[in-house]
Amino acid sequence: MSNKIIKSCMALAIAVMMLTATVLADPAQSTVDWEKGVVRATGLAAGNSKTKNKGLQRAQAKRAARMDAQRNLAEAVEGVQVSSESSMKDLMLEYDIVKTRVDATIKGMSEIDSRYYDDGTCEILLEMPLFGQNKSVAEAAFLPARNQPKVPFPQPTSTSIKIDVDTAVGGVVSNGYTGLVVDCSGLGLEAVMSPVIQNNNNQPIYGVENLDIDKVIEMGMASYANSADDSISQERAGNNPLVVKAVKVNGIIKGNPVLSVADADKVLIANQSDMFLDECAVVFVK
């Protein structure tokens, strides 16, 4: 038998397996977990109950469950907000390279868990990291940004802002800040991959264009925490963060914290020496 005929038979067998498998509804098919930095999706399917070969029935169920999980994962990834104005779905429609990378990553994704049930169904869990240099949502989302030049952080609007000074090196104040915590509690902040911190005059002071894109892909621009003192905040912003309170949040999706002009200047002045913004050592308290 020729290789061509063998391949045709294999393709036909796979098609039959899929036609004889039943995809079942799952009320919790997918979720985006910003705290843990993953997108998860489950797939659930049953093999053909009339199939006498139990091994074949399990294979039918597993293949159908994997395809169901891939569909659910793709839908979840499309819904991830990249910025306060656009989602992954928008990027995938605009840039073929983003869609191609997402599709290829999902198809090659290894299952986190799989299990068979007594009723002949199989359940598969797939998980895609939001950030990281290998098979993450960010790796695809920020592909277009690789062609953009890095922009310096803006200068503070005022030089008379007072902050508690421990040391001054070369005329630049330093308080040894290890990070920035922006308290957005009660303002309805939404999680996005590419947030922008603005001052109350709508001037951006922190955005993806100010950062090393590889660092953004690896760790994200900010973490989202429930308080300034929880483990997420301490891990990201360190033990001596500069803490400021947002006055509001902006954007179609409310993903951009807005600071008073004075607080925004305080952040920019402190960053000139401590460079916590450059390290993406930023936490938003929701």
Side-chain angles (χ1 to χ4, degrees):
M1 186 178 294
S2 69
N3 289 337
K4 185 175 182 180
I5 295 175
I6 292 173
K7 290 181 179 179
S8 297
C9 291
M10 291 176 62
L12 178 61
I14 290 172
V16 170
M17 286 170 63
M18 292 308 304
L19 288 171
T20 55
T22 302
V23 176
L24 305 177
D26 183 359
Q29 294 175 329
S30 62
T31 182
V32 180
D33 189 331
W34 286 94
E35 289 190 6
K36 294 185 177 179
V38 295
V39 183
R40 296 190 187 92
T42 58
L44 188 66
N48 187 354
S49 60
K50 295 181 181 180
T51 301
K52 294 182 180 180
N53 186 312
K54 295 300 182 182
L56 179 59
Q57 188 181 88
R58 286 165 69 95
Q60 292 169 351
K62 184 167 186 178
R63 186 170 185 86
R66 178 172 177 80
M67 294 190 70
D68 186 41
Q70 288 175 338
R71 284 192 295 268
N72 293 332
L73 185 60
E75 290 179 3
V77 170
E78 287 181 358
V80 172
Q81 283 297 137
V82 178
S83 70
S84 62
E85 284 78 34
S86 62
S87 66
M88 280 297 295
K89 183 176 182 179
D90 298 324
L91 279 187
M92 291 166 70
L93 289 172
E94 184 176 358
Y95 299 99
D96 288 339
I97 189 172
V98 176
K99 176 175 172 50
T100 299
R101 181 65 61 88
V102 170
D103 290 345
T105 300
I106 289 176
K107 287 179 182 178
M109 193 65 59
S110 300
E111 61 210 46
I112 299 301
D113 190 19
S114 63
R115 62 188 65 186
Y116 293 95
Y117 298 102
D118 293 340
D119 61 358
T121 61
C122 177
E123 184 177 30
I124 285 180
L125 171 65
L126 298 180
E127 188 175 276
M128 187 172 179
L130 282 170
F131 301 100
Q133 294 289 350
N134 187 27
K135 298 181 179 180
S136 72
V137 179
E139 186 183 31
F142 291 108
L143 278 172
R146 287 193 175 279
N147 299 322
Q148 303 299 319
K150 185 177 176 182
V151 178
F153 289 103
Q155 293 296 312
T157 61
S158 173
T159 58
S160 62
I161 298 298
K162 294 181 179 180
I163 62 175
D164 295 330
V165 179
D166 281 349
T167 60
V169 180
V172 178
V173 295
S174 174
N175 205 355
Y177 288 121
T178 55
L180 172 68
V181 174
V182 182
D183 184 358
C184 305
S185 55
L187 298 177
L189 180 72
E190 297 288 339
V192 299
M193 298 191 78
S194 179
V196 177
I197 301 177
Q198 303 170 316
N199 68 19
N200 217 11
N201 290 333
N202 294 321
Q203 179 192 23
I205 69 164
Y206 178 74
V208 67
E209 68 273 8
N210 306 122
L211 303 170
D212 180 86
I213 198 64
D214 286 323
K215 189 163 292 183
V216 171
I217 291 171
E218 180 63 34
M219 60 187 301
M221 290 179 59
S223 290
Y224 293 86
N226 294 318
S227 76
D229 299 320
D230 71 10
S231 58
I232 293 175
S233 181
Q234 291 175 0
E235 181 178 352
R236 184 74 175 232
N239 57 10
N240 186 36
L242 173 60
V243 181
V244 293
K245 173 70 177 175
V247 296
K248 60 182 178 179
V249 291
N250 274 348
I252 298 173
I253 300 297
K254 302 298 184 181
N256 299 332
V258 179
L259 307 180
S260 68
V261 173
D263 277 348
D265 283 350
K266 185 184 297 185
V267 170
L268 291 172
I269 291 171
N271 187 65
Q272 289 176 350
S273 61
D274 297 329
M275 301 182 69
F276 45 82
L277 296 181
D278 303 73
E279 298 301 318
C280 302
V282 177
V283 174
F284 297 150
V285 176
K286 297 178 69 178

